[in-house]
Amino acid sequence: GIEHLRKEVDTSKSILVVTGAGAIIRVVSIVVLRAERSDGSVFMQVGKWEGSVVKGALQLPGAKQEAGELVPETLDRIFATKLTFLEGKLEVLGTARENEEKESKEFGVQTRYLRSICSARLLADVALDMHVCVEKPGEEGRLRDIGEDVMHLSSSYGRSFHLMQRALQETQIYAAPTGTQSGNLYAWVAADRLSLLSSSGAEKVMTSWLSGLALPNPVMIPEQACEYDYELECTLSLVV
């Protein structure tokens, strides 16, 4: 609540402004990365894990911009803390900006989100040094079982599920640990599948699919400056 908001303002992750009408608006600046390969696929975070719990969600990687920080500096911080495996492997092409105003679910106050979307392209002949996830033994039928569970729903949903099923089975998932038993899951997602995998019901299907993948063994990871931010995750999920 209020204490959390005060801490956020004190750490320069947001500011509060008063309008001419006397209303208070919280302002948050967010920088996200939209990286593409030569085939048009977009680099997306598709989920995360904490211990044995896996959650699927399609979003662009990003971070809140701190006070006095320029967009290129925030992007450098994203590479240094979240996307070390991409550092030096992308050509940054430009930045587009978009604004949105709505009530923050976390703080319950009207908030203006200022997004800087940095476009980039993967350099030619570059490979990512990341753990590639494969299905756990005995989990090969997981998506088929989910499909049987939704067959009683509308035929349109059933068709959407089978499209999601095919999209996931054809997408290579990468794991990037952020702690001893936690991390983020990424993938190059075909541009024509972004809407499908961010549509209604997709998060549940993705969570079930990702839960059947073998994740890296627990490893020692240096402490990183990228603590979990619920509101940031909700905001990034809207940017595709």
Side-chain angles (χ1 to χ4, degrees):
I2 297 298
E3 287 303 316
H4 189 183
L5 179 58
R6 180 181 290 112
K7 179 181 178 181
E8 186 190 59
V9 173
D10 289 343
T11 55
S12 303
K13 292 185 177 179
S14 72
I15 62 173
L16 299 178
V17 299
V18 180
T19 67
I24 296 177
I25 295 181
R26 174 172 164 266
V27 180
V28 180
S29 296
I30 296 172
V31 176
V32 299
L33 173 69
R34 183 187 173 93
E36 295 188 11
R37 283 191 317 201
S38 58
D39 62 359
S41 297
V42 181
F43 190 76
M44 303 290 297
Q45 182 175 340
V46 296
K48 63 180 182 178
W49 82 90
E50 182 75 36
S52 61
V53 179
V54 179
K55 179 183 178 182
L58 190 73
Q59 62 187 44
L60 292 171
K64 288 180 179 176
Q65 195 171 358
E66 298 179 353
E69 194 174 51
L70 301 176
V71 171
E73 294 172 332
T74 307
L75 187 59
D76 287 342
R77 177 161 57 84
I78 292 171
F79 284 130
T81 58
K82 296 183 177 182
L83 305 176
T84 55
F85 46 86
L86 281 179
E87 195 167 14
K89 298 182 179 181
L90 297 175
E91 176 188 2
V92 179
L93 305 174
T95 302
R97 291 177 174 81
E98 61 179 36
N99 302 334
E100 180 186 23
E101 189 170 312
K102 63 178 182 177
E103 182 176 294
S104 166
K105 292 182 179 179
E106 183 175 10
F107 295 103
V109 297
Q110 195 68 11
T111 300
R112 183 173 299 155
Y113 298 98
L114 312 178
R115 298 194 191 93
S116 297
I117 305 173
C118 300
S119 299
R121 180 171 53 211
L122 185 69
L123 297 175
D125 302 321
V126 167
L128 301 186
D129 184 18
M130 300 178 69
H131 175 92
V132 178
C133 299
V134 296
E135 288 183 282
K136 299 174 185 175
E139 294 287 345
E140 294 81 356
R142 173 176 289 270
L143 280 180
R144 184 184 64 249
D145 294 339
I146 303 170
E148 293 174 353
D149 290 340
V150 302
M151 288 308 293
H152 67 283
L153 301 176
S154 66
S155 58
S156 60
Y157 187 89
R159 286 195 297 271
S160 295
F161 165 77
H162 288 297
L163 289 173
M164 292 179 200
Q165 179 185 37
R166 180 177 177 183
L168 290 170
Q169 289 175 328
E170 294 177 352
T171 300
Q172 194 168 57
I173 307 296
Y174 300 94
T178 57
T180 55
Q181 297 187 60
S182 62
N184 296 321
L185 298 166
Y186 298 96
W188 290 101
V189 180
D192 60 357
R193 291 175 173 173
L194 291 174
S195 296
L196 174 67
L197 294 179
S198 58
S199 61
S200 175
E203 186 172 309
K204 180 179 179 180
V205 175
M206 290 174 62
T207 296
S208 296
W209 163 245
L210 296 173
S211 297
L213 300 181
L215 301 174
N217 294 324
V219 292
M220 293 302 297
I221 302 292
E223 183 177 351
Q224 299 190 33
C226 53
E227 61 182 21
Y228 173 69
D229 189 321
Y230 169 77
E231 182 187 44
L232 176 64
E233 178 174 298
C234 292
T235 304
L236 293 180
S237 66
L238 301 176
V239 186
V240 175

